[in-house]
Amino acid sequence: MKYAILVGDGMADFPVESLGGRTPLQAARTPWMDHIASRGILGLVRTIPEGFSPGSDIANLVILGYDPAVHYTGRGPLEAASMGVELSPGDVAFRCNLVHLSLEEPKPRMVDFTSGHIDTEKARALLQALDKATAEPDIRFYAGVSYRHLMVWKHGPMRLKTVPPHDITGQEIEAYLPQGQGAHRLVKLMQHSQEFLKSQPIVELLAEHGTCPPNSIWPWGQGVAPCLEPASRRLGIKAAMITAVDLLKGLGRYAGFRILNVPGATGYLDTDYSAKGRYALEALGEGEDLVFVHVEAPDEASHQGSLEEKIKAIESFDQEVVGQVLQGIKAWEEWAVLVLPDHATPLCLKTHSSGPVPFAMLSSKGESGGREGFNEEAAARSARGVLDGREILERFVKGRW
């Protein structure tokens, strides 16, 4: 049996007035997802349990069958695992963005949480230099991809509140600065980064070219290393994951998945969708039982508030990932394909929301659906109720619908 889980990050949305009250999923041309929904199983799944923030960390942890109330410690340690940074007991890992703030204003605002999607090579040089320039023996910086990096605080504080920078685009930052144990030191570290970055030739060069150069770090998503039983072992399968996002790579490693690095996969709107679909089929051909493909682009478009880019990303995901995998997986006698967003990212909010999202599953065991397309409204009409996301992986693999 061959399985494929295809996740379009943040695809789900609210009705959009300019689309006549339709959502982007309803407006986009998605023949392959519609095919799965109309001929297979369609419904709603809750990927964000009550009481948890609607982040990709929580949502994908749930999709992989883990209870965040038991297993979630923070986003930072998942990204550390992806980067090969080993955490000792008591080490606290933070996701660390390079951001652009309006520091010249009396009350600084979050202008761009991506620093103009800074080039990875330039960002790496800045993080490495910042690490050397920070005279804090218990704090280290590790360079990641583009604006997404890591900070580790040895024996750091856990009773600390931080806010994701993508949640406060355009807003004044004062109310969203770190609060709680260790907050004062963290704010001083951010101020140190601001002094350091403004003197860097790379930053000056980017500013001359009219981009939003990084002028501060923004630590968030802190946590200690979690203890997870690999999902692959729990279900008795060999599994691989394809994603360009460190968070997902780290979670995949904890879940016992082989991480496949795909050339051209950027975690952004310019990602190579076709290569992701091709590598997924190759992984199944090389002996993997299950492949998990994650595409970040719809979520990135939503954070920017770009309806045009979101529809474009959904259509590319449908054609080049879902369509390619669905056609290719039929080379095996027994197969199943599951497609879903990890969470909704409404354009009007420019950030995540916690409501249930649509899912659709089709397998070689036969058709069982009606004639609905893949979208939020059609899924809500399903008589199945709302599935607990912590059950979806096991139900999918074991065929217990």
Side-chain angles (χ1 to χ4, degrees):
M1 187 78 173
K2 297 294 183 179
Y3 306 92
I5 300 176
L6 311 176
V7 177
D9 198 306
M11 286 194 301
D13 211 307
F14 297 159
V16 177
E17 185 177 352
S18 64
L19 295 177
R22 295 177 298 166
T23 68
L25 271 175
Q26 289 176 304
R29 184 177 180 275
T30 56
W32 295 106
M33 289 190 283
D34 291 345
H35 175 85
I36 294 172
S38 66
R39 301 193 180 187
I41 293 171
L42 175 66
L44 289 174
V45 57
R46 185 172 298 282
T47 59
I48 307 295
E50 187 175 351
F52 285 90
S53 297
S56 291
D57 44 6
I58 296 295
N60 286 282
L61 189 71
V62 165
I63 291 171
L64 290 175
Y66 299 104
D67 184 347
V70 177
H71 298 107
Y72 183 70
T73 63
R75 180 171 182 143
L78 301 177
E79 307 216 5
S82 168
M83 297 167 65
V85 177
E86 187 173 347
L87 300 178
S88 299
D91 288 356
V92 178
F94 293 74
R95 164 72 176 271
C96 186
N97 278 42
L98 283 175
V99 302
H100 183 84
L101 307 175
S102 61
L103 295 174
E104 69 282 356
E105 297 181 3
K107 293 186 176 181
R109 292 176 297 107
M110 179 66 65
V111 176
D112 188 343
F113 68 89
T114 75
S115 292
H117 282 274
I118 184 172
D119 172 81
T120 295
E121 184 177 348
K122 294 182 177 65
R124 182 175 298 274
L126 289 173
L127 257 290
Q128 290 173 345
L130 176 62
D131 184 55
K132 292 179 181 178
T134 302
E136 304 280 353
D138 55 347
I139 291 177
R140 292 290 312 277
F141 293 95
Y142 299 88
V145 176
S146 185
Y147 62 93
R148 305 182 289 264
H149 307 283
L150 183 74
M151 187 186 90
V152 176
W153 187 339
K154 289 189 174 298
H155 303 291
M158 278 300 297
R159 295 192 300 276
L160 182 67
K161 180 182 178 181
T162 59
V163 175
H166 52 259
D167 281 358
I168 58 171
T169 299
Q171 299 183 49
E172 294 177 358
I173 66 170
E174 185 175 3
Y176 303 105
L177 291 172
Q179 299 176 21
Q181 181 187 16
H184 178 68
R185 188 175 176 193
L186 206 55
V187 171
K188 287 187 65 176
L189 200 62
M190 295 166 71
Q191 293 170 343
H192 164 70
S193 77
Q194 293 162 14
E195 289 298 316
F196 171 80
L197 288 168
K198 71 180 182 181
S199 65
Q200 296 304 298
I202 292 174
V203 174
E204 294 174 0
L205 180 64
L206 290 171
E208 289 173 4
H209 285 79
T211 63
C212 288
N215 60 8
S216 182
I217 60 167
W218 190 276
W220 61 285
Q222 67 279 358
V224 297
C227 182
L228 302 178
E229 177 191 5
S232 57
R233 183 192 307 162
R234 186 177 74 240
L235 297 173
I237 57 173
K238 291 179 62 180
M241 179 176 287
I242 293 173
T243 179
V245 176
D246 281 336
L247 163 67
L248 269 293
K249 290 181 180 179
L251 180 54
R253 286 200 167 97
Y254 276 115
F257 285 47
R258 181 165 67 99
I259 307 301
L260 305 180
N261 294 311
V262 177
T266 64
Y268 191 52
L269 301 170
D270 60 353
T271 197
D272 191 334
Y273 297 88
S274 182
K276 286 193 170 187
R278 188 170 65 252
Y279 270 63
L281 292 172
E282 289 177 0
L284 294 174
E286 292 168 356
E288 303 292 350
D289 302 309
L290 181 148
V291 63
F292 184 111
V293 183
H294 169 264
V295 175
E296 177 77 2
D299 189 63
E300 290 288 342
S302 293
H303 286 308
Q304 294 178 16
S306 175
L307 173 60
E308 180 182 359
E309 290 291 353
K310 182 162 189 176
I311 289 178
K312 180 180 177 182
I314 290 171
E315 292 181 342
S316 297
F317 173 71
D318 181 77
Q319 180 64 38
E320 301 181 47
V321 178
V322 180
Q324 183 177 185
V325 171
L326 182 58
Q327 293 176 88
I329 203 171
K330 292 179 180 180
W332 287 274
E333 184 177 347
E334 294 186 306
W335 53 268
V337 175
L338 171 67
V339 61
L340 73 165
D342 52 352
H343 52 68
T345 310
L347 287 157
C348 62
L349 301 179
K350 295 185 180 181
T351 190
H352 308 159
S353 68
S354 58
V357 295
F359 77 90
M361 192 284 296
L362 182 64
S363 79
S364 57
K365 296 181 179 180
E367 300 179 3
S368 59
R371 288 294 177 263
E372 297 276 21
F374 183 75
N375 60 69
E376 302 86 350
E377 184 178 330
R381 287 197 293 266
S382 168
R384 298 179 177 277
V386 180
L387 177 66
D388 185 335
R390 293 166 290 193
E391 301 176 3
I392 197 166
L393 177 62
E394 186 167 354
R395 283 176 179 252
F396 177 57
V397 171
K398 296 184 177 181
R400 296 175 180 169
W401 296 101

